[in-house]
Amino acid sequence: QVQLVESGGGLVQPGGSLRLSCAASGNDFSITTMGWYRQAPGKQRELVAVITRRGIINYSDSVKGRFTISRDSAKNTVYLQMNSLKPEDTAVYYCHAQSPYTYWGQGTQVTVSS
């Protein structure tokens, strides 16, 4: 089992920045990929960015050039630096971890509004 604890969400003006963190704890030592998904009201959950244990990264086209994902494997923590935020980035952001099992965090709200 793995627990994912997210932090760093909040309210920010358009053009602003936020940094999300997700710390994994537990006894599943076979996690390969970690990353972030988001879900806006009335929409399906979508991929934002993921990073493998080897550092291979995949971004959604909508966030390329604005968001940066990074991972500290020693701390089992994944980060999402979000710059140049837009109102359409408003959503609940969920941390995700993949081993043979799939784990989700509880979600953290990001609201981009003036």
Side-chain angles (χ1 to χ4, degrees):
Q1 282 289 339
V2 168
Q3 293 77 44
L4 302 176
V5 179
E6 301 129 331
S7 61
L11 172 65
V12 65
Q13 293 186 342
S17 299
L18 283 174
R19 188 188 194 214
L20 304 182
S21 300
C22 172
S25 62
N27 57 7
D28 185 340
F29 300 104
S30 59
I31 291 175
T32 55
T33 300
M34 295 186 72
W36 296 92
Y37 288 69
R38 67 186 181 188
Q39 187 166 17
K43 295 187 177 181
Q44 290 187 334
R45 191 172 297 189
E46 63 176 4
L47 179 145
V48 177
V50 292
I51 182 169
T52 70
R53 191 159 50 190
R54 294 185 178 183
I56 298 171
I57 293 172
N58 185 33
Y59 291 106
S60 164
D61 286 344
S62 62
V63 307
K64 280 181 182 177
R66 300 187 297 121
F67 292 10
T68 302
I69 190 170
S70 60
R71 181 172 177 174
D72 186 334
S73 295
K75 296 181 178 180
N76 279 332
T77 301
V78 64
Y79 305 95
L80 186 68
Q81 178 66 42
M82 304 185 293
N83 298 329
S84 302
L85 282 160
K86 304 175 181 180
E88 51 263 44
D89 294 317
T90 296
V92 178
Y93 283 69
Y94 294 92
C95 182
H96 170 268
Q98 187 69 51
S99 68
Y101 304 98
T102 299
Y103 302 100
W104 292 98
Q106 79 283 359
T108 184
Q109 178 69 46
V110 172
T111 302
V112 185
S113 175
S114 55

